[in-house]
Amino acid sequence: MLKNDLILRAARGEKTERTPVWLMRQAGRILPEYRAVRNSLSGFKELVETPELAAEVTIQPVDLLGVDAAIIFSDILVIPEAMGLTYEMVEKKGPHFPNTVKEASDIDALKVADPADLGYVYEAIKITKKELDSSVPLIGFAGAPWTIFSYMIEGGGSKTFSQARRLLYSEPAMADRLLDMITESTIGYLKQQVQAGADMLQIFDSWAGVLPAEHYSRYSLKYISKICDAITEVPITVFAKGAWWALEEMKDMNCRTVGLDWNMDPKEAREILPNKTLQGNLDPCALYGSNELIKEETKKMLAAFGDHPHIANLGHGVYPDTDPEKVKYFIQSVKELSAH
Ligand code: CP3
């Protein structure tokens, strides 16, 4: 039994005594305590692959910021790595894949990830659960197949994602084959996260917004749906950044919560998704403002979600140069303003 299960109850659509709150990308970057751990190591990957340390930085925001959930410290890119495509995390630049998928034979060289290859993540989850001592729920996560596919084709971030998008037009069968492999890998991986103790799951479709609506349905939601259908043990949140047009189709998906980015209108989403809990969606840039501004914007956000089941969050991950004091103020504001 968890001492604070507000997020789980909100995810189930139940009324809660106040709105629960956590932040995407809360573990890391913004906290000096995170950077201290990180700087003592060879790099990001060592942190991800050392369960005791991953657990430590997972718990930091719970203690330091007062959020209502922890999210396991890892990265969405562990899946392509387990499939056979390794990544490097380049300081101040982000992920880079030395090898990418260019043609069918590159897919032949990959495998469906063996969930056992990601044992360090499950170990980190087990340690975190123990150290959290039933205080708050632990969120597990993975990237959506389309977002992972984009990294495997592009080799990193991109302005246009034109290589990944091109493949959907020129080689649809090849695209489906790779998306199928990623989906299967992700299902096994998420099931193991639940087995290890994850109380809920989030699927990050960070590059959803670059696809036309028809392709989004055909090449992304189809595969996210397969994941949601396969995992019935815990509530799932789907966050498709930039894909406002897809909310309609998410109504019938087997997820409990839909994440909104800051461009999406909570009032519209409430009408489109009466059966889902909504998560979001303060503009992360609001946290650069004064405390007065943060409180005002938080109040507006809470009002826009009204009495709809809601998990407060930003509309995307917290930016690295955000003052942790402002994050704390946001969290405190949600707690105060939403208390009935
Ligand atoms: O949310 C959390 O606090 C848990 C940990 C987490 C990380 N990455 C750690 C991380 C989560 C949930 C992710 C997800 C992730 N990773 C996404 C989806 C969410 C989103 O923001 O859209 C994406 C697209 C990635 C890929 C990735 N990893 C990028 C583009 C980068 C570099 C830029 C950046 O965001 O910092 C990373 C590196 C990364 N992943 C860091 C952290 C804490 C910073 C690395 C460092 O310590 O130097």
Side-chain angles (χ1 to χ4, degrees):
M1 284 297 272
L2 291 156
K3 289 166 201 139
N4 173 351
D5 65 348
L6 281 170
I7 284 195
L8 289 171
R9 282 190 279 138
R12 286 196 295 262
E14 293 169 21
K15 290 254 179 294
T16 48
E17 47 280 25
R18 66 166 172 83
T19 305
V21 56
W22 70 285
L23 273 76
M24 291 185 274
R25 313 302 292 272
Q26 68 188 19
R29 313 191 293 182
I30 59 162
L31 294 173
E33 291 83 355
Y34 165 81
R35 289 198 296 272
V37 176
R38 169 81 167 70
N39 289 341
S40 69
L41 304 169
S42 62
F44 175 75
K45 286 179 90 170
E46 188 182 351
L47 182 47
V48 166
E49 290 163 17
T50 310
E52 292 75 14
L53 295 177
E56 183 182 338
V57 300
T58 297
I59 294 167
Q60 283 175 349
V62 178
D63 295 338
L64 298 166
L65 303 173
V67 285
D68 292 308
I71 178 160
I72 191 66
F73 186 84
S74 184
D75 202 86
I76 61 170
L77 302 177
V78 300
I79 279 291
E81 180 147 280
M83 291 174 69
L85 220 55
T86 57
Y87 72 97
E88 298 160 356
M89 197 58 80
V90 186
E91 284 303 315
K92 300 207 161 64
K93 281 187 80 180
H96 169 70
F97 286 81
N99 298 303
T100 57
V101 172
K102 292 179 199 67
E103 48 199 82
S105 62
D106 297 325
I107 303 180
D108 297 337
L110 301 172
K111 59 168 188 166
V112 170
D114 179 349
D117 290 342
L118 293 159
Y120 57 86
V121 180
Y122 320 133
E123 194 52 36
I125 290 176
K126 284 181 194 158
I127 298 171
T128 304
K129 281 296 286 181
K130 209 160 148 195
E131 291 180 357
L132 280 173
D133 193 23
S134 306
S135 53
V136 292
L138 177 61
I139 303 169
F141 72 90
W146 159 250
T147 287
I148 299 300
F149 174 94
S150 302
Y151 275 109
M152 295 174 84
I153 305 291
E154 301 277 348
S158 165
K159 276 212 174 85
T160 59
F161 292 90
S162 56
Q163 299 302 316
R165 291 197 290 124
R166 177 169 99 174
L167 215 65
L168 306 185
Y169 290 99
S170 63
E171 299 281 353
M174 180 179 151
D176 275 320
R177 195 171 143 228
L178 182 54
L179 286 162
D180 258 323
M181 287 172 77
I182 299 167
T183 302
E184 219 185 306
S185 303
T186 304
I187 290 172
Y189 175 52
L190 289 175
K191 276 184 178 289
Q192 288 297 314
Q193 290 191 35
V194 173
Q195 194 94 59
D199 298 292
M200 57 197 295
L201 298 171
Q202 175 153 324
I203 297 171
F204 286 92
D205 207 355
S206 304
W207 311 131
V210 303
L211 289 180
E214 200 185 316
H215 271 182
Y216 190 67
S217 171
R218 162 80 179 75
Y219 290 103
S220 188
L221 275 190
K222 175 181 150 190
Y223 292 100
I224 295 175
S225 287
K226 279 192 187 176
I227 298 172
C228 292
D229 290 345
I231 295 163
T232 51
E233 299 87 345
V234 298
I236 301 181
T237 301
V238 174
F239 174 60
K241 188 174 178 300
W244 50 270
W245 65 84
L247 295 182
E248 196 87 47
E249 220 177 313
M250 290 186 185
K251 191 177 171 191
D252 300 319
M253 245 164 54
N254 274 327
C255 64
R256 263 311 318 153
T257 302
V258 171
L260 305 184
D261 67 44
W262 71 88
N263 291 129
M264 296 176 183
D265 179 358
K267 288 184 185 145
E268 261 175 49
R270 285 165 66 181
E271 277 174 32
I272 299 170
L273 296 165
N275 58 335
K276 301 290 185 201
T277 296
L278 297 174
Q279 176 172 280
N281 76 338
L282 191 78
D283 183 348
C285 283
L287 301 187
Y288 294 127
S290 64
N291 283 354
E292 293 68 39
L293 179 126
I294 292 170
K295 193 167 226 167
E296 208 41 52
E297 292 297 319
T298 304
K299 197 185 247 173
K300 272 196 261 170
M301 174 193 72
L302 290 170
F305 285 96
D307 61 2
H308 195 98
H310 178 214
I311 297 169
N313 206 311
L314 302 179
H316 197 195
V318 59
Y319 296 137
D321 60 348
T322 307
D323 177 356
E325 289 304 319
K326 300 288 183 180
V327 176
K328 273 196 230 172
Y329 194 78
F330 166 63
I331 290 160
Q332 205 45 47
S333 299
V334 171
K335 289 181 177 177
E336 274 171 36
L337 295 168
S338 69
H340 299 302

